[in-house]
Amino acid sequence: MTLSSNIEGILVIPRLKVQNANAISSPMTWGFPAISAFLGLMQALDRKLPAHIELMLDQVGVVCHNFEPQVTEGGYTRAFRLTRNPVSRDGSTAAISEEGRAHIEISLIFGVTGQAVNLNDSQRQTVAEEIGHIVEGMRIAGGSVVPGRRKGKAWQSRPRLTPVADSRDEWLQQFRLLRRQLLPGFALVSRHDLLEKRLTELHNENPAATALDAWLDLSRLHVYPETHGDSEGEDSDMNGKVEWQVRRPPGWTVPIPVGYGALSDVFEPGQVARARDNTTPFRFVETLYSIGEWVSPHRLHSIEDLLWRAEAEPDAGIYQCTNSYGDRRLNA
């Protein structure tokens, strides 16, 4: 079976427990870390791989098994539990910067290519274990990986490197086993198709509606009253009664940041003062937003539904993370 993404194998790092991951994923959203954090982890891990591991990480998917935001309890209003900074030199209290944190348990799924995929089963397992050990020493979305033996059955808790089978039937069987390994949990996928659909609907009502209006509309609960009329044939006990209804898109949809849009031209290295890297071109950007959905892995039909990849259009000023799940639903 040939995948359009051209990946040769799947690397699974299951059941990673991360403490104090960043829960403020953008200026307008909070909760699970942004998918760009995991693409950044993939690039950092790719650079850390030793020379004897001939493997390239091309795409990444994430499945969340547990999410514990560090917020206050009780009442309808929540606030982040913040840490106090050390006092300043003169003994005065330093300002507190709001930093949202969450403890998460996740599985990472990488689409890979390279010679390591063609090794025998024992050698591939050794490679997967070594990469898993490297990941445990890295930061994930700003959080620290909790060391220690993972719980669960061996096939469910150990890193695995699996080549993509040539036969479609064999690959579908492999993917069914992978989905089983990732349960229970929820995979984050893109539903940009819902955003485009809602924008079209809003344009029919108001031609001046923008993509921001559609994004906000999909991000909130719509509570509206429904009054039962007194037309003939209706139950008289319901006449004039008002019931409050809630309208939301089907599925567990969430607003998510998916990348960055340019605010300026590209500056030459060193041209912008106090830039983090004086050897790389610099550009001011802002966050790009879309709609995501949490889906149980057993509802995925293809590995491409799970994996995210980085795409850049420098001339258009767009640097974004893309996933094909919504496109497949749109074309289904």
Side-chain angles (χ1 to χ4, degrees):
M1 177 182 180
T2 302
L3 300 177
S4 61
S5 55
N6 296 322
I7 59 175
E8 299 174 354
I10 302 297
L11 172 65
V12 181
I13 310 294
R15 300 307 197 276
L16 290 168
K17 293 186 177 180
V18 184
Q19 283 189 340
N20 295 325
N22 181 22
I24 302 180
S25 54
S26 76
M28 297 182 66
T29 60
W30 81 277
F32 193 77
I35 196 67
S36 57
F38 300 100
L39 281 166
L41 167 71
M42 179 185 72
Q43 295 176 353
L45 175 60
D46 196 47
R47 295 175 180 177
K48 283 181 173 289
L49 294 182
H52 67 271
I53 297 181
E54 299 181 18
L55 201 66
M56 180 174 294
L57 311 180
D58 299 319
Q59 302 179 50
V60 63
V62 58
V63 174
C64 181
H65 306 285
N66 186 45
F67 178 77
E68 183 184 346
Q70 300 304 292
V71 296
T72 57
E73 300 177 355
Y76 290 101
T77 303
R78 298 287 190 270
F80 287 114
R81 294 178 180 145
L82 304 178
T83 57
R84 182 176 292 278
N85 298 327
V87 296
S88 58
R89 292 183 177 180
D90 59 1
S92 60
T93 302
I96 297 179
S97 299
E98 186 176 35
E99 296 180 356
R101 299 181 177 89
H103 300 336
I104 59 177
E105 182 178 356
I106 58 173
S107 290
L108 298 174
I109 304 92
F110 298 97
V112 301
T113 57
Q115 293 299 321
V117 178
N118 301 320
L119 301 174
N120 60 44
D121 292 344
S122 177
Q123 292 172 324
R124 287 199 306 269
Q125 185 59 40
T126 300
V127 169
E129 295 282 359
E130 184 174 354
I131 296 176
H133 181 71
I134 296 174
V135 171
E136 290 180 346
M138 299 177 64
R139 290 273 189 171
I140 299 180
S144 303
V145 179
V146 179
R149 186 176 181 180
R150 303 183 185 95
K151 298 180 180 179
K153 300 179 181 178
W155 63 269
Q156 192 180 38
S157 60
R158 296 177 61 188
R160 295 171 57 194
L161 176 60
T162 306
V164 174
D166 295 330
S167 167
R168 175 180 175 83
D169 292 337
E170 290 180 8
W171 168 242
L172 291 178
Q173 178 64 24
Q174 287 180 341
F175 186 58
R176 282 193 288 268
L177 292 175
L178 173 61
R179 293 184 303 183
R180 182 182 175 189
Q181 179 184 7
L182 298 174
L183 292 173
F186 290 90
L188 182 61
V189 297
S190 172
R191 292 310 309 270
H192 189 71
D193 59 309
L194 293 179
L195 186 61
E196 294 177 343
K197 179 181 178 181
R198 187 55 184 154
L199 179 58
T200 301
E201 294 172 349
L202 291 180
H203 277 163
N204 294 333
E205 302 171 5
N206 177 17
T210 65
L212 178 60
D213 296 323
W215 184 75
L216 293 174
D217 185 85
L218 292 173
S219 303
R220 61 191 174 216
L221 291 173
H222 294 266
V223 182
Y224 62 95
E226 186 176 275
T227 304
H228 294 272
D230 54 359
S231 60
E232 184 178 353
E234 292 190 1
D235 188 351
S236 59
D237 293 337
M238 297 293 292
N239 289 342
K241 183 177 180 180
V242 176
E243 292 186 348
W244 290 95
Q245 305 291 338
V246 176
R247 177 174 61 83
R248 273 214 69 177
W252 185 359
T253 57
V254 289
I256 58 172
V258 292
Y260 305 95
L263 290 175
S264 70
D265 295 329
V266 178
F267 295 96
E268 295 297 327
Q271 189 174 353
V272 178
R274 299 182 180 179
R276 181 176 298 180
D277 185 354
N278 289 326
T279 61
T280 304
F282 185 93
R283 196 172 203 175
F284 290 98
V285 296
E286 63 179 349
T287 304
L288 297 178
Y289 297 94
S290 186
I291 295 294
E293 182 177 1
W294 290 105
V295 180
S296 180
H298 78 278
R299 297 187 180 277
L300 301 175
H301 301 290
S302 167
I303 188 64
E304 294 174 313
D305 291 343
L306 175 63
L307 298 178
W308 292 77
R309 58 189 177 277
E311 292 186 354
E313 300 178 32
D315 294 338
I318 296 177
Y319 308 86
Q320 63 179 338
C321 313
T322 61
N323 169 262
S324 62
Y325 180 84
D327 295 335
R328 292 177 182 274
R329 292 291 298 269
L330 187 64
N331 298 327

